[in-house]
């Protein structure tokens, strides 16, 4: 059984970059006679834009996506994340941390792929009593390897490349890495197709899956769409939301970006005909590992 998913964050409306992740994960699920589930990654309430979650669902619906079952909202899953953190505490795998970002930057002697590596301060000295506590998991000094269906073999040493990473922030919010692993397991996800901007997160998620006794899904990381300045299309780079206007053109551009070859005749067809073509012709093997500057925005 194939169970895939699309998991947008409602920090803005759907744009071309998120559309290609939706298209790729949807086509993979459909061509495997699988299910395609939706998850709204609305953990970070302060960054959320009011109404964006329902707009994203309307945009997906307009473009002809049909998802299975109910949409899972991360904002309603705190109990599940808290239970997962408790189980890791019982296994002695996590530790509290009262360091500020500045303290870590000032005391760290190593730089990893996401900046200063946490130097383990709170494991060596007493916690600050009046400070809010974050929870970190101890990163192992072993190589985590996985085979990505598009990007090939990926290796990462969590201790040297990432360091002890946060599962629950000092402000009480659960971290993306914990939430995504708990939710993928709860939704029974077997295959994850998503943007290559998350490739560096995958070893952390595999490590958490192993520690929590979950199976590891198969991964395929699609190339990330960039604007003419070479920046990833995201809400932060003000990527234009996709609209109803020109939707056929946009959808066909998404297939082209993903290395597929939709015939020109599809320009004059409705979304339903385009999806029928897609389910008959989609090939993950045609998706490139990376893409030069996209000319779509
Ligand atoms: Zn600390």
């Amino acid at each position: 059984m194939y169970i895939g998913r699309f998991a947008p964050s409602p920090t803005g409306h759907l744009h071309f970059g998120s559309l290609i992740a939706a298209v790729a994960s949807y086509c993979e699920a459909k061509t495997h006679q699988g299910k395609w589930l939706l998850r709204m990654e609305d953990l970070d309430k302060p960054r959320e834009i009011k109404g964006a979650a329902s707009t994203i669902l309307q945009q997906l619906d307009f473009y002809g996506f049909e998802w299975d079952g109910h949409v899972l909202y991360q904002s309603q899953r705190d109990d599940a994340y808290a239970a997962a953190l408790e189980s890791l505490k019982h296994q002695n795998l996590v530790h509290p941390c009262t360091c500020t970002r500045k303290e870590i930057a000032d005391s760290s002697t190593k730089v990893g792929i996401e900046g200063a590596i946490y130097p383990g301060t709170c494991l060596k000295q007493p916690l600050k009593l009046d400070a809010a506590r974050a929870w970190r998991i101890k990163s192992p000094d072993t190589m985590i390897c996985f085979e990505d269906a598009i990007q090939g073999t990926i290796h990462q040493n969590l201790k040297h490349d990432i360091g002890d990473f946060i599962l629950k922030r000092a402000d009480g919010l659960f971290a993306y890495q914990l939430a995504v692993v708990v939710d993928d397991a709860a939704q029974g996800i077997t295959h994850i197709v998503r943007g290559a901007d998350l490739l560096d997160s995958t070893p952390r998620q595999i490590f958490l899956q192993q520690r929590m006794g979950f199976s590891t899904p198969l991964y395929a990381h699609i190339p990330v769409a960039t604007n003419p300045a070479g920046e990833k299309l995201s809400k932060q780079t003000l990527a234009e939301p996709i609209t109803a206007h020109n939707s056929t053109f946009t959808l066909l551009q998404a297939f082209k970006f993903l290395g597929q070859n939709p015939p020109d005749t599809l320009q004059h067809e409705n979304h339903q005909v385009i999806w029928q073509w897609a389910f008959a012709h989609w090939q993950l093997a045609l998706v490139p590992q990376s893409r030069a500057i996209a000319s779509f925005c």
Side-chain angles (χ1 to χ4, degrees):
M1 184 61 182
Y2 184 115
I3 304 179
R5 45 83 153 180
F6 176 58
S9 311
T11 49
H13 298 167
L14 217 57
H15 54 78
F16 188 78
S18 36
L19 178 70
I20 57 172
V23 165
S25 59
Y26 189 51
C27 288
E28 270 297 283
K30 289 292 160 188
T31 53
H32 287 86
Q33 289 76 47
K35 287 189 172 158
W36 188 65
L37 308 184
L38 278 193
R39 178 192 313 152
M40 206 51 78
E41 299 205 325
D42 56 351
L43 270 182
D44 197 347
K45 281 286 167 195
R47 282 186 56 220
E48 187 174 336
I49 291 183
K50 208 172 173 345
S54 60
T55 303
I56 288 171
L57 298 182
Q58 286 164 17
Q59 290 174 297
L60 289 171
D61 184 53
F62 180 83
Y63 271 75
F65 291 92
E66 294 178 2
W67 53 92
D68 294 292
H70 296 292
V71 179
L72 189 74
Y73 288 85
Q74 289 193 324
S75 56
Q76 297 168 8
R77 301 266 303 148
D78 266 12
D79 290 349
Y81 307 145
L85 182 61
E86 277 309 306
S87 88
L88 293 169
K89 283 183 193 173
H90 284 305
Q91 296 177 65
N92 237 345
L93 294 170
V94 293
H95 62 88
C97 170
T98 54
C99 299
T100 62
R101 214 179 274 256
K102 185 172 185 317
E103 286 166 340
I104 294 170
D106 291 347
S107 58
S108 173
T109 54
K110 279 196 240 156
V111 178
I113 53 182
E114 290 190 348
I117 287 189
Y118 178 64
T121 317
C122 294
L123 292 169
K124 300 171 201 151
Q125 63 188 46
L127 296 169
K128 284 177 270 173
L129 291 176
D130 53 347
R133 292 177 175 194
W135 286 88
R136 292 179 182 273
I137 188 156
K138 197 138 190 57
S139 284
D141 188 4
T142 52
M143 201 63 91
I144 306 257
C145 301
F146 71 99
E147 197 61 31
D148 187 88
I150 297 169
Q151 306 297 334
T153 308
I154 306 292
H155 304 277
Q156 204 180 74
N157 179 306
L158 289 184
K159 184 180 166 75
H160 297 294
D161 296 335
I162 299 288
D164 292 358
F165 57 97
I166 288 187
L167 299 184
K168 190 180 185 188
R169 293 169 16 179
D171 62 6
L173 288 181
F174 287 98
Y176 164 74
Q177 308 293 357
L178 177 74
V180 74
V181 167
V182 171
D183 290 342
D184 283 334
Q187 291 187 292
I189 303 299
T190 60
H191 292 72
I192 294 177
V193 180
R194 61 182 179 189
D197 51 319
L198 287 165
L199 197 57
D200 284 340
S201 287
T202 305
R204 268 169 280 181
Q205 294 170 19
I206 291 173
F207 168 61
L208 288 175
Q209 288 155 7
Q210 291 169 347
R211 288 298 174 270
M212 291 188 224
F214 301 146
S215 52
T216 291
L218 293 172
Y219 289 92
H221 287 83
I222 62 169
V224 171
T226 57
N227 66 18
E231 300 161 322
K232 178 198 160 199
L233 291 188
S234 70
K235 290 102 189 182
Q236 286 75 34
T237 59
L238 302 177
E240 291 289 314
I242 56 167
T243 59
H245 172 68
N246 260 351
S247 62
T248 301
F249 175 78
T250 307
L251 199 51
L252 293 175
Q253 290 293 80
F255 284 112
K256 288 178 186 168
F257 182 88
L258 289 162
Q260 314 298 305
N261 302 302
D264 289 343
T265 50
L266 285 178
Q267 291 171 34
H268 312 293
E269 299 291 354
N270 61 31
H271 295 168
Q272 203 189 346
V273 174
I274 294 174
W275 285 118
Q276 279 168 3
W277 168 84
F279 300 155
H281 295 91
W282 169 262
Q283 285 187 66
L284 189 71
L286 294 177
V287 178
Q289 282 190 338
S290 62
R291 272 244 81 149
I293 311 294
S295 53
F296 304 104
C297 55

